[in-house]
Amino acid sequence: MVLGILFGWQFPKYAVETKIVSTLFLHLIKCIIAPLLFSTLVVGIAGHTDDLKAVGRLALKSILYFEIVTTIALFIGLGAVNLVQPGKGVQINASAATGKELAASEVTFDSFLDHVVPTSLFDAAARNDVLQVVIYAIIFGIAVSRVKGKPRQVILDFFEALSEVMFKFTGIVMLFAPFGVGSAIAATIGKNGLGILVSLGKLVGTLYGALAVFILFVFVPVLLLFRIPVRRFFSTVKEPALLAFSTASSEAALPDALRLMEKFGVPRRIVAFVLPTGYSFNLDGSTLYLSLAAIFVAQAAGVHLTFGKQLAILFTLMLTSKGVAAVPRASLVILSGTLATFGLPLEGVAVILGVDAFLDMARTSVNLVGNCLASAVMARWEGELKLAPAPSPADHSPNPGRALAAETEVSSK
C-alpha cells in the first residue's frame, strides 16, 4: 500500500497504467466467490443439522442484529456531519450529468424484491450476485437435507470436497494480493492525485473520523458484550480489511475473510451464511456514509434541514440501503435517489464523485469488519464460537513439567 501511494504520487502517468494488475487480481478473486459460497452453504445447511429451525433462527437473529447496528451507523453519520459541517464553503457547480444518470437508476422496493430471487444460478454466479447465490444455496441445502440415503451423501461429499478445494484455491490467489493492492492504490492516486484530498479534505476527514468513532464506540463494546477477544479479532480481520480498503472491493476480501473467521473459531455453517448475507443487509460503513453525504449536499447547497427532515432522510436511507450491494456504485445510486426524493440538488453527487474513491476505501473496509464481527456475534449467540486458547509463555518452555501444568490449567478452565 505504501509503495503504491508513493508510486502513484511521484509517477502518476505510469501508475495509471498499472491498474491492469489489480484488475487481473480481482478477476481471480471473483472466480472464487460463487463456488466457495455455494459449496460451504450447502454443506452447512444440509450436512451439519437436520433441524431446519436452526437456519431460520440464525437468519432471524442476523437480521435483528444487522438492523440495530446499521441504524446506529446512520445516527453517527448524522451527528458527525452536523458537528463538523463539511459542506459549508463548498460550492456546487452545474455539472449534474452524473447525478441525473445515477438518479435514473433509482432503487425501489419492488426492484429490490425482484433482485433477490435468482432466475438462474449460473447467471447469478456469472454476475457474482452474492445475495442471489445465497438464496439459491439455502433452498438447495434445505432440499438436500430432505433427501435420505446415498443420494444425499453423494451430494454432501461432492460439496464438502469442493469447499476444501476452493479454500486452497483462495490461499494460492492470495499470494498475489500485494501486487493487486499496490497497483490498485497506485492507479487511484495517479488518476485523482493527492490534491483532490485538499479541496474536499473536510468531507473525507469527517467520514474517516466518524467511522473511527463507530469502530471505537460500537464494534468494541459489541466485542466486549459478547465476550469476543478484541485484540485477537482485529488481528484476524486485519489482512482482509486492508485488502478491502486498498481495492475498494468487498468481493476481493470475502474469500479470505471466510477462511480467517473459520480459523478464528466461527463454525463454517454460520460464517458461510452470515458473512455473504451481511454484504446485502449489514453495510455499516456505507449506511454511515449515506447519512453523512446527504446532509453534506444540503449544507453545500445552502439548504437548511430541520431535525425532523433529517430523520425522514435517515428513515428513507434505512429502507433503501438494504440489498443493493451488487449494484455498481450502489451508495451513489441510493444517495441520488434520496436527494431527488427530498428536493436536494443532484449536482452534489458529481462533487462527491471526485473523492468517492477515497471514501469508498474507508466504507468498504468497515463493511467487511462489521460483517466479520456479525459472524462472530452470531456464533457466540448460538453457543458455537470455539475460540482456541491463546498461547501462553509456558507453551514455549523447555521444562515439560511446567508446560504440562499450564496445559492442565487451560483444560480445567
Side-chain angles (χ1 to χ4, degrees):
M1 279 181 66
V2 173
L3 288 174
I5 291 169
L6 291 174
F7 186 72
W9 176 37
Q10 293 296 323
F11 308 99
K13 182 180 177 182
Y14 300 106
V16 172
E17 301 299 324
T18 65
K19 190 177 181 181
I20 184 63
V21 179
S22 67
T23 302
L24 294 176
F25 172 68
L26 289 176
H27 285 179
L28 284 172
I29 288 288
K30 287 177 180 180
C31 75
I32 298 171
I33 292 171
L36 179 62
L37 277 184
F38 195 85
S39 57
T40 50
L41 267 175
V42 169
V43 172
I45 292 170
H48 294 140
T49 180
D50 290 317
D51 181 14
L52 295 180
K53 290 181 180 178
V55 178
R57 186 176 66 243
L58 178 62
L60 187 63
K61 288 179 178 178
S62 300
I63 295 298
L64 176 64
Y65 173 83
F66 294 162
E67 195 57 50
I68 292 171
V69 176
T70 51
T71 301
I72 294 172
L74 283 169
F75 276 99
I76 288 178
L78 182 67
V81 74
N82 279 292
L83 180 66
V84 180
Q85 298 196 340
K88 291 290 179 68
V90 177
Q91 297 297 320
I92 290 181
N93 57 42
S95 58
T98 303
K100 288 176 181 175
E101 182 183 322
L102 288 166
S105 54
E106 182 182 350
V107 179
T108 64
F109 184 68
D110 286 349
S111 66
F112 163 63
L113 288 180
D114 184 58
H115 170 76
V116 166
V117 181
T119 55
S120 163
L121 171 63
F122 301 102
D123 175 57
R127 292 183 290 103
N128 271 318
D129 193 318
V130 171
L131 185 58
Q132 289 191 359
V133 171
V134 167
I135 295 296
Y136 197 103
I138 290 171
I139 298 171
F140 188 87
I142 292 171
V144 172
S145 70
R146 294 187 171 190
V147 175
K148 305 300 179 185
K150 188 177 179 181
R152 174 183 179 180
Q153 197 55 47
V154 169
I155 293 290
L156 283 175
D157 288 344
F158 171 76
F159 282 110
E160 183 73 49
L162 179 60
S163 65
E164 292 297 328
V165 170
M166 293 313 299
F167 274 110
K168 297 295 183 185
F169 191 110
T170 301
I172 295 170
V173 171
M174 292 310 296
L175 296 174
F176 299 94
F179 303 100
V181 166
S183 64
I185 204 159
T188 300
I189 297 293
K191 182 179 179 181
N192 298 286
L194 291 174
I196 198 167
L197 290 176
V198 177
S199 59
L200 290 173
K202 204 173 181 183
L203 172 62
V204 176
T206 303
L207 178 68
Y208 277 67
L211 290 173
V213 168
F214 181 75
I215 291 169
L216 191 60
F217 291 99
V218 178
F219 284 174
V220 173
V222 167
L223 285 164
L224 296 174
L225 179 65
F226 285 90
R227 296 178 289 110
I228 300 167
V230 177
R231 185 178 296 179
R232 201 187 310 181
F233 172 78
F234 283 113
S235 176
T236 300
V237 301
K238 176 181 64 179
E239 286 184 21
L242 284 173
L243 188 62
F245 180 85
S246 54
T247 60
S249 170
S250 298
E251 289 179 338
L254 178 57
D256 207 33
L258 282 167
R259 178 181 64 85
L260 289 171
M261 288 311 296
E262 185 181 354
K263 189 177 178 182
F264 180 75
V266 180
R268 182 175 294 184
R269 74 174 190 86
I270 292 179
V271 71
F273 176 83
V274 176
L275 209 57
T277 306
Y279 269 43
S280 292
F281 295 98
N282 187 41
L283 303 172
D284 302 328
S286 294
T287 49
L288 189 153
Y289 157 81
L290 284 168
S291 62
L292 189 151
I295 309 303
F296 165 82
V297 172
Q299 291 172 353
V303 177
H304 174 69
L305 294 175
T306 63
F307 183 66
K309 196 76 173 282
Q310 292 186 26
L311 286 179
I313 291 175
L314 251 65
F315 181 72
T316 303
L317 291 171
M318 195 185 303
L319 296 176
T320 57
S321 62
K322 300 292 186 290
V324 290
V327 179
R329 289 198 180 277
S331 297
L332 289 177
V333 172
I334 296 165
L335 178 61
S336 300
T338 305
L339 294 179
T341 300
F342 289 91
L344 296 171
L346 291 176
E347 291 90 333
V349 177
V351 173
I352 292 173
L353 196 60
V355 289
D356 188 62
F358 301 100
L359 301 174
D360 200 12
M361 290 175 180
R363 63 181 183 247
T364 301
S365 56
V366 172
N367 289 343
L368 184 277
V369 174
N371 286 316
C372 288
L373 174 58
S375 68
V377 168
M378 290 304 112
R380 176 67 81 189
W381 201 347
E382 290 281 295
E384 295 186 40
L385 185 62
K386 298 177 176 64
L387 294 170
S392 65
D395 295 335
H396 306 288
S397 169
N399 187 333
R402 190 186 303 166
L404 181 61
E407 197 174 304
T408 306
E409 184 182 358
V410 168
S411 300
S412 65
K413 286 180 181 177

